[in-house]
Amino acid sequence: MGEFSNFIKIIEEFIDFFDNLIPIEQEKLEAAIKNRVSFVEECMHKEQAAVLRLRGLEQKREKEQEKLGMKDYTFRQILEKVPEDVSSVLKPLFDKMSEQVTQFQSISDNAKDMIEVNLHVIQSSLSEKAPGKETYSSSGKKNDNENPNHFTSRSV
């Protein structure tokens, strides 16, 4: 079991990583639902930092697997090759990590979908044929939409 102790620690680091990342992703989803752009942006900055940490963890895992003679092995293949005492420790860790990855992906997909819906709403409201896009003059008369003033017009 001693030769696998570093590998076990790395898997525990992955679990800790997702324990910290899932709430950030959940916060991003809730912010997207409430259309709170600044909170979504803040979460994305946190995620960018997390991606760097994830890359580092992935490199550590690959190096450790190579040391163990299991380069490019899947977790399932590793479980088949390790002694029973190591497998009894690794299997629950792999299951926990797999559950976290699935949960993270689900929340992330939902957040992505919500952000896309919000962008579609914005694009629709800015399009030429959007309902309710009529503009009015300062006197309250409806402007002719054939030649509308653009919001970036210099006369504004």
Side-chain angles (χ1 to χ4, degrees), residues 14-125:
F14 271 105
I15 291 170
D16 183 54
F17 171 80
F18 281 105
D19 279 343
N20 293 318
L21 187 60
I22 288 171
I24 293 170
E25 197 66 16
Q26 185 67 43
E27 183 181 337
K28 183 172 91 175
L29 172 60
E30 290 169 14
I33 290 169
K34 294 176 183 174
N35 207 14
R36 300 180 80 185
V37 177
S38 62
F39 286 100
V40 171
E41 193 173 331
E42 184 179 314
C43 290
M44 292 174 82
H45 289 300
K46 290 176 186 176
E47 286 176 337
Q48 288 172 347
V51 166
L52 295 176
R53 181 169 177 234
L54 181 61
R55 285 185 187 145
L57 282 172
E58 191 63 20
Q59 288 173 349
K60 282 173 63 174
R61 182 195 58 78
E62 288 172 354
K63 286 179 187 175
E64 193 59 34
Q65 276 188 230
E66 194 169 345
K67 277 191 215 173
L68 294 170
M70 298 183 179
K71 182 180 179 186
D72 298 328
Y73 279 32
T74 65
F75 290 147
R76 200 173 304 274
Q77 290 171 321
I78 291 170
L79 287 174
E80 292 171 359
K81 301 287 183 187
V82 298
E84 186 65 35
D85 62 328
V86 176
S87 177
S88 66
V89 173
L90 281 177
K91 181 162 180 9
L93 293 175
F94 287 163
D95 290 345
K96 171 77 173 166
M97 189 171 66
S98 176
E99 180 183 305
Q100 287 178 312
V101 168
T102 301
Q103 181 182 7
F104 173 78
Q105 287 175 331
S106 174
I107 296 168
S108 181
D109 289 345
N110 288 338
K112 180 181 172 238
D113 291 346
M114 194 68 227
I115 290 168
E116 286 176 357
V117 166
N118 289 344
L119 286 174
H120 178 72
V121 168
I122 291 168
Q123 288 173 342
S124 294
S125 68

